[in-house]
C-alpha cells in the first residue's frame, strides 16, 4: 500500500515521496511537496511558490508552463527550509550563502562559508558609477547610509544603483525624499505585523516572522507600483 503524506491524500504514483526516485526524474510542485513533507510536515505549496518568487529556487518550465523540479531543486529547497528551521536565518542571508557556494553545491549538511556582502565607500561609488558629491547628497537626504563599520550592505548598494538610474532621468536626491518617507511608513506597518512574531517564544514562529516580512515587503512594493500606474492613468485623462 502506498504511503500517504501527512496532511493530505496519497501522492500520484509518479510523484510519490521517494528520495531516490526524485533524483532520477522531474517532479511537479505537488511531487516536491510530498518529498519535502517527509522532513518538513508543515510545508505547503504556497510556501514553495513563495521561495521561488524570492529567487531561492528556479525550476524549469514545461512547454505548457508547468513547473518541473529536478533533484538539485528539491535538495536546495530542503536546505533553505533546514536553515530557516535550525538556524532561524532570514531568506536574504540564506540566498547569499547558497549563491556564494560552488556551482556543484556544498556537501550535504555542510555549513556555507561566512560571506560578508558589505562593500566600502570606494566600491559603492564604483557600483553606482557616481562621484563623491552625489553619494554625499544621497546620505544627506537619508537615502543611503553606512553601518557602524563604515560599510554598506547589499540593500544600500541596491538603493545606490536605483537612485543613480533615477538620476539619469533628472531626479535628484531631494526629489526622492517622499519615497524614503513612504518606505519608512511601510516599514512601520510591516513591523506592526511581524514584531510580535519576532518576540514569540517559539523558534519556528520567530523564523516565520522573516518570511512574513519578506512577503509583506513584496506586496507593499506591488501595491505602490499599481497605485502609481493608476494615478498616471487618471491624471492622463
Amino acid at each position: 500500500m502506498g504511503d500517504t503524506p501527512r496532511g493530505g491524500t496519497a501522492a500520484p504514483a509518479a510523484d510519490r515521496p521517494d528520495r531516490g526516485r526524485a533524483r532520477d526524474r522531474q517532479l511537479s510542485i505537488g511531487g516536491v511537496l510530498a518529498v519535502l513533507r517527509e522532513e518538513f510536515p508543515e510545508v505547503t505549496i504556497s510556501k514553495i511558490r513563495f521561495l521561488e518568487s524570492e529567487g531561492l529556487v528556479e525550476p524549469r518550465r514545461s512547454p505548457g508552463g508547468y513547473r518541473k523540479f529536478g533533484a538539485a531543486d528539491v535538495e536546495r529547497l530542503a536546505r533553505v527550509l533546514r536553515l530557516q528551521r535550525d538556524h532561524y536565518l532570514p531568506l536574504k542571508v540564506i540566498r547569499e550563502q547558497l549563491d556564494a557556494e560552488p556551482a556543484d553545491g556544498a556537501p550535504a549538511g555542510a555549513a556555507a562559508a561566512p560571506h560578508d556582502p558589505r562593500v566600502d565607500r570606494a566600491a559603492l561609488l564604483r557600483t553606482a558609477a557616481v562621484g563623491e558629491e552625489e553619494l554625499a547628497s544621497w546620505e544627506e537626504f537619508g537615502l543611503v547610509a553606512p553601518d557602524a563599520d563604515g560599510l554598506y550592505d547589499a540593500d544600500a548598494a541596491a538603493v545606490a544603483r536605483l537612485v543613480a538610474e533615477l538620476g539619469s532621468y533628472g531626479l535628484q536626491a531631494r526629489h526622492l525624499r517622499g519615497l524614503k518617507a513612504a518606505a519608512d511608513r511601510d516599514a512601520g506597518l510591516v513591523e506592526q505585523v511581524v514584531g510580535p512574531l519576532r518576540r514569540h517564544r517559539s523558534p519556528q514562529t520567530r523564523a516565520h516572522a522573516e518570511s512574513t516580512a519578506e512577503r509583506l515587503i513584496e506586496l507593499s512594493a506591488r501595491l505602490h507600483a499599481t497605485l502609481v500606474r493608476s494615478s498616471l492613468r487618471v491624471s492622463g485623462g
Side-chain angles (χ1 to χ4, degrees), residues 203-221:
Q204 289 78 11
T205 301
R206 293 198 299 271
H208 178 61
E210 300 303 329
S211 60
T212 300
E214 293 290 342
R215 180 58 174 166
L216 290 173
I217 291 169
E218 178 196 5
L219 290 173
S220 296

Side-chain angles (χ1 to χ4, degrees), residues 62-73:
S62 70
Y66 294 101
R67 296 172 177 84
K68 290 298 180 181
F69 295 81
D73 297 319

Side-chain angles (χ1 to χ4, degrees), residues 15-225:
D15 284 344
R16 292 281 172 82
D18 187 315
R19 292 269 185 180
R21 293 178 64 184
R23 298 180 190 279
D24 300 329
R25 66 188 309 275
Q26 301 290 307
L27 295 178
S28 68
I29 193 168
V32 174
L33 178 67
V35 172
L36 293 177
R37 276 188 169 174
E38 293 181 352
E39 182 177 352
F40 310 98
E42 302 303 320
V43 73
T44 63
I45 284 181
S46 295
K47 174 72 171 182
I48 296 172
R49 287 175 176 158
F50 172 68
L51 294 176
E52 179 188 356
S53 73
E54 290 297 307
L56 274 302
V57 65
E58 297 180 2
R60 72 175 184 86
R61 295 274 182 164
S62 70
Y66 294 101
R67 296 172 177 84
K68 290 298 180 181
F69 295 81
D73 297 319
V74 178
E75 291 302 326
R76 185 176 172 95
L77 283 169
R79 293 189 62 201
V80 170
L81 294 171
R82 210 170 286 124
L83 286 168
Q84 278 193 307
R85 181 194 64 194
D86 299 340
H87 302 285
Y88 320 124
L89 295 179
L91 292 180
K92 176 183 173 182
V93 174
I94 293 174
R95 182 169 55 245
E96 289 169 351
Q97 287 192 359
L98 295 183
D99 290 347
E101 293 177 356
D104 58 353
H115 173 63
D116 189 347
R118 299 179 300 170
V119 297
D120 60 19
R121 194 175 189 83
L124 186 68
L125 290 172
R126 291 194 300 272
T127 296
V130 297
E132 178 65 43
E133 184 176 346
E134 287 176 278
L135 178 54
S137 175
W138 300 348
E139 292 178 329
E140 178 184 353
F141 286 98
L143 299 173
V144 177
D147 60 20
D149 298 323
L151 300 175
Y152 300 84
D153 63 18
D155 285 335
V159 168
R161 289 191 294 269
L162 291 169
V163 172
E165 186 169 354
L166 287 168
S168 69
Y169 293 91
L171 295 175
Q172 301 175 10
R174 59 188 175 85
H175 299 131
L176 304 178
R177 286 181 296 182
L179 291 178
K180 178 61 168 64
D184 290 341
R185 289 193 296 270
D186 287 347
L189 291 175
V190 172
E191 182 59 31
Q192 286 182 27
V193 176
V194 303
L197 300 178
R198 286 172 171 163
R199 296 187 293 271
H200 200 277
R201 296 179 60 183
S202 167
Q204 289 78 11
T205 301
R206 293 198 299 271
H208 178 61
E210 300 303 329
S211 60
T212 300
E214 293 290 342
R215 180 58 174 166
L216 290 173
I217 291 169
E218 178 196 5
L219 290 173
S220 296
R222 288 167 55 187
L223 175 60
H224 176 78

